[in-house]
Amino acid sequence: MSVAFGGLQVIHALDLHVDEHEIVSVIGPNGAGKTTVFNLITGVHRPDSGDILVDGESIVGLAPHAITNRGVARTFQTLRLFLNMSVKENVMAAAYGRTRATILESFLQLPHARREERAIHELAEGKLAFFGQRLVGYRWDQPAFSLSYANRRRLEIARATATQPRILLLDEPAAGMNPVETHEMTELIGKLRDDGGYTILVIEHDMHVVEGISDRVVALDHGFKIAEGSYQQVATNELVVEAYMGLRTAEKK
């Protein structure tokens, strides 16, 4: 796929795939086009050319909520929680898009609406329980703004999982964390795949995280894919080193 904004080519004929239950990391310097890739997949932007397939079916042109219903969920580089809502309500909010009760049924609290409401409460509690002691118990009723930064990151991922996605798009999940929190996030991403069964596409700048989680790494620079392969293959690629360091290893010799 390719896309340009105002005559500036941002993504150049990018060929990218993620296999089921795989963790693929997208790396690259600032301005490489990484978040634009997420915006294209989730329907924020539409590619000028090319196609985006989920389970073999095109999602190009669909509204973001329709893409979510096809099994694609994401988090954001800058946290976008409902800070004045409780922890549990944040997760519940993501599940209401799949309910079928009408406004009248909900207002009158008819049996169908009550059953759906109970199911959403149970879903939210189950998704939060996945994160262990960090987001359970008394924290359910706390406002999201009272959480630590790391737990806000966890809550945003929990909210994404409440949409019942096939693939999770995580945009710099370890950004702004200290080394201990970064290690815990690395373990969490692996758990999401191994225990949660999710397929994961992740943007990450921390190479320790990338090395610890990735089945495959894709490196971008100015919208071009410059390398793809294992972490070791990509980390030692001359074009990748040049993109990050601004020089060619061959010129240093």
Side-chain angles (χ1 to χ4, degrees):
M1 59 186 175
S2 298
V3 69
F5 301 123
L8 176 64
Q9 194 72 32
V10 180
I11 299 294
H12 302 259
L14 176 63
D15 182 11
L16 173 67
H17 75 277
V18 185
D19 297 326
E20 193 168 11
H21 297 147
E22 187 178 31
I23 300 177
V24 175
S25 294
V26 179
I27 67 170
N30 291 332
K34 303 183 297 298
T35 296
T36 299
V37 171
F38 275 23
N39 288 339
L40 289 168
I41 295 171
T42 55
V44 177
H45 303 309
R46 182 169 182 163
D48 297 327
S49 61
D51 206 353
I52 303 169
L53 307 177
V54 175
D55 285 336
E57 296 186 3
S58 177
I59 58 172
V60 171
L62 296 180
H65 72 273
I67 292 174
T68 299
N69 289 336
R70 293 287 186 95
V72 180
R74 72 175 292 183
T75 63
F76 295 86
Q77 183 177 351
T78 302
L79 284 166
R80 298 187 184 181
L81 295 173
F82 304 115
L83 294 177
N84 290 318
M85 291 170 59
S86 73
V87 167
K88 186 176 175 182
E89 287 170 342
N90 264 270
V91 180
M92 290 172 62
Y96 281 111
R98 294 181 180 273
T99 58
R100 295 292 179 264
T102 65
I103 294 175
L104 182 61
E105 287 174 325
S106 298
F107 179 75
L108 296 175
Q109 285 292 287
L110 297 181
H112 174 57
R114 293 202 304 271
R115 285 195 299 271
E116 285 193 334
E117 188 71 15
R118 284 195 299 270
I120 287 176
H121 276 273
E122 292 171 2
L123 173 66
E125 291 170 5
K127 296 303 181 183
L128 289 167
F130 185 87
F131 294 80
Q133 295 302 311
R134 301 287 189 175
L135 295 177
V136 297
Y138 71 95
R139 293 192 186 276
W140 287 349
D141 296 321
Q142 288 185 323
F145 69 75
S146 69
L147 296 178
S148 68
Y149 176 78
N151 281 338
R152 291 185 189 187
R153 284 281 180 191
R154 293 183 179 95
L155 176 57
E156 190 176 40
I157 296 173
R159 186 178 63 183
T161 64
T163 66
Q164 307 288 43
R166 294 286 308 282
I167 181 168
L168 276 172
L169 278 56
L170 306 179
D171 195 344
E172 297 193 33
M177 293 187 178
N178 63 41
V180 172
E181 292 167 341
T182 297
H183 177 71
E184 291 176 349
M185 181 57 67
T186 303
E187 292 185 332
L188 173 61
I189 294 171
K191 183 182 177 185
L192 284 165
R193 191 268 303 276
D194 297 337
D195 297 342
Y198 298 104
T199 300
I200 300 173
L201 180 63
V202 57
I203 295 171
E204 187 52 68
H205 279 295
D206 191 315
M207 290 299 105
H208 294 294
V209 177
V210 174
E211 183 179 14
I213 64 174
S214 305
D215 297 309
R216 192 159 38 87
V217 180
V218 175
L220 301 182
D221 186 29
H222 292 94
F224 289 95
K225 182 168 70 174
I226 58 175
E228 181 175 1
S230 68
Y231 171 81
Q232 193 62 31
Q233 289 171 329
V234 172
T236 57
N237 183 285
E238 286 193 3
L239 292 176
V240 176
V241 174
E242 178 190 7
Y244 274 99
M245 305 298 294
L247 46 82
R248 292 185 182 276
T249 54
E251 292 174 351
K252 294 176 62 180
K253 297 179 180 178

